[in-house]
Amino acid sequence: MDTNQLEVNEASYKSNLELELLLEAIYRLSGFDFRKYAQSSVYRRIQNRMNIDGIPTISRVIEKVVHDEEFLEQILNDLSINVTEMFRNPTFFKAFRTKVVPLLKQHKEIRIWHAGCATGEEVFSMAILLQEEGLIDRSVIYATDMNEEVLQKARQGTFSLRKMKDYTKNYIQAGGTEAFSQYYQTDHLYAYFHRSLLKNIIFAQHNLVTDQSFNEFHVIICRNVLIYFTSELQEQVYDLFSESLCEGGFLGLGDKETLRFSAGAELYEEFVGNERIYRKKVT
């Protein structure tokens, strides 16, 4: 191995070591554990914060995390996953409406968990769907995220007016039965969704990495969150979901996620396979 390659390997080793130390510091100071997240994703987010704030090295990031509580909060926000939209992947919601809802109608009470709900767009989508299907009054939607800041935004039910055109298109493709505009009021900047949609939604902070099961659910929705986790952490979260899901309950994942290679895959059957909707087997 030549000298240049040795120098590259040494620099890579030191960079990985710095990142490990940073994530360890974040865990000890905040309780939020990113040590088993996909390192490439974590590194990109840290590097973006370094570029914004003009911080030259991860070691300096560690120093600021240890001594500056506001900076630590900023890093936590940077590392949380907040990409979402209303009726995202409309065919998923259409399959849920046509395939899952008829079976949910057999229950007197329906408990749904949106894990990693971010700013709440998919939670409001589910509330609208359940209202149109006559199920909202016997449903409770638990919407959780590790990031309290995005939960505060979700509780407001206020979204950019610029997005409503795309959201309306998603709603129609998802099988919506009403005029989408009836669910919100607008000004020149925002769409304000009706507060009545919130009456059966409970927003709460929950960390999939460190927190335990808190109820038994008929449906768990966790879409496009697990792709940021290592395979080891994915297995941990799948165990949490299996513990939290009742027999015959439904698990909805993102379009890039699958239970197929999970250690707990034998607990489920594909219900709508192409939409990543699984049903927990009845034993």
Side-chain angles (χ1 to χ4, degrees):
M1 185 178 296
D2 60 30
T3 302
N4 289 338
Q5 187 62 49
L6 286 173
E7 291 176 351
V8 169
N9 289 345
E10 182 179 2
S12 177
Y13 172 77
K14 289 182 178 179
S15 178
N16 290 337
L17 177 59
E18 282 185 315
L19 186 59
E20 289 176 12
L21 293 173
L22 171 60
L23 299 183
E24 183 68 27
I26 290 171
Y27 174 64
R28 294 193 184 192
L29 291 168
S30 70
F32 291 109
D33 193 351
F34 297 96
R35 296 174 297 178
K36 295 179 182 177
Y37 277 45
Q39 297 298 285
S40 58
S41 174
V42 171
Y43 183 78
R44 284 195 303 270
R45 291 165 184 269
I46 295 298
Q47 191 66 50
N48 183 60
R49 175 51 49 190
M50 292 167 62
N51 292 337
I52 291 172
D53 289 359
I55 303 174
T57 65
I58 294 180
S59 292
R60 292 289 298 275
V61 176
I62 297 172
E63 181 182 351
K64 285 181 68 66
V65 160
V66 171
H67 297 289
D68 186 339
E69 290 187 7
E70 290 186 4
F71 184 75
L72 173 58
E73 288 297 321
Q74 181 62 66
I75 288 291
L76 291 174
N77 288 335
D78 290 339
L79 292 177
S80 63
I81 311 303
N82 302 319
V83 179
T84 186
E85 63 184 49
M86 296 198 76
F87 294 95
R88 178 165 57 167
N89 304 123
T91 54
F92 172 90
F93 281 93
K94 189 167 187 177
F96 189 92
R97 184 190 291 265
T98 59
K99 304 293 186 181
V100 177
V101 164
L103 296 175
L104 293 181
K105 288 182 177 180
Q106 300 172 8
H107 299 292
K108 293 182 179 180
E109 179 186 10
I110 303 164
R111 294 181 298 278
I112 298 175
W113 178 16
H114 276 265
C117 71
T119 46
E121 282 87 335
E122 290 190 67
V123 178
F124 278 86
S125 303
M126 181 62 70
I128 290 170
L129 187 156
L130 293 173
Q131 179 170 307
E132 293 182 352
E133 293 296 325
L135 292 178
I136 192 63
D137 289 336
R138 49 174 146 150
S139 300
V140 180
I141 303 173
Y142 296 82
T144 67
D145 200 277
M146 60 158 284
N147 188 331
E148 180 59 33
E149 183 175 316
V150 300
L151 286 174
Q152 290 290 355
K153 293 180 181 179
R155 293 184 181 103
Q156 299 303 312
T158 301
F159 307 119
S160 171
L161 187 60
R162 295 196 308 269
K163 297 179 179 180
M164 286 303 109
K165 182 178 180 180
D166 289 336
Y167 290 176
T168 300
K169 181 179 178 181
N170 286 353
Y171 167 77
I172 294 170
Q173 293 177 347
T177 61
E178 306 292 339
F180 187 53
S181 59
Q182 78 172 29
Y183 294 109
Y184 59 86
Q185 295 177 323
T186 66
D187 58 20
H188 63 291
L189 290 176
Y190 296 103
Y192 304 90
F193 278 75
H194 296 162
R195 306 304 293 175
S196 61
L197 292 171
L198 288 165
K199 65 179 180 180
N200 294 82
I201 302 175
I202 298 173
F203 290 100
Q205 194 170 30
H206 182 277
N207 188 344
L208 287 172
V209 179
T210 56
D211 294 339
Q212 303 302 310
S213 176
F214 60 94
N215 209 326
E216 184 178 63
F217 299 95
H218 300 96
V219 178
I220 297 176
I221 306 292
C222 184
R223 305 179 64 230
N224 303 308
V225 175
L226 298 176
I227 55 175
Y228 298 100
F229 295 175
T230 64
S231 57
E232 178 185 357
L233 185 52
Q234 287 176 7
E235 291 294 338
Q236 179 181 321
V237 176
Y238 284 140
D239 287 344
L240 172 64
F241 290 162
S242 295
E243 180 184 351
S244 304
L245 198 62
C246 69
E247 290 190 346
F250 298 93
L251 174 63
L253 301 177
D255 57 359
K256 296 181 178 62
E257 299 160 336
T258 180
L259 270 174
R260 187 173 303 163
F261 304 110
S262 167
E266 72 279 357
L267 298 175
Y268 297 86
E269 59 185 0
E270 285 192 350
F271 190 72
V272 187
N274 60 322
E275 296 299 341
R276 304 296 195 271
I277 299 176
Y278 302 87
R279 191 176 192 187
K280 189 175 179 182
K281 294 177 181 177
V282 178
T283 58

